[in-house]
Amino acid sequence: MNLFCELTCSPRQSHFLNVTATEDYVDPSTNQTKTNVKELQYYVGESFANVAWNPASPVACRVTGQCQR
């Protein structure tokens, strides 16, 4: 799983994302009022978080892009 892809375009976002703040804006190309997500919470399991953000884990490089060699 690529964390960035899951957070931005997964069809299952409602299972792990919660929008906590939005703001309206006017789309300059259509002049219509639309809504942006300004803030959100995302939920990951404890075991995933422990592996993904552990610098010694090979998974951490793929999830965070911060590879330690």
Side-chain angles (χ1 to χ4, degrees):
M1 172 188 87
N2 180 309
L3 185 60
F4 180 76
C5 289
E6 288 291 311
L7 293 177
T8 57
C9 58
S10 172
R12 300 173 295 122
Q13 286 179 338
S14 64
H15 297 266
F16 56 86
L17 292 178
N18 179 40
V19 174
T20 56
T22 61
E23 66 182 355
D24 290 340
Y25 72 99
V26 176
D27 183 330
S29 62
T30 64
N31 210 30
Q32 294 179 331
T33 300
K34 297 185 177 182
T35 303
N36 267 343
V37 173
K38 187 174 180 179
E39 184 178 291
L40 60 85
Q41 295 173 316
Y42 65 96
Y43 306 98
V44 295
E46 184 177 348
S47 60
F48 175 82
N50 287 338
V51 171
W53 281 276
N54 177 350
S57 167
V59 176
C61 180
R62 293 193 306 267
V63 173
T64 65
Q66 301 297 314
C67 304
Q68 295 186 359
R69 305 259 185 242

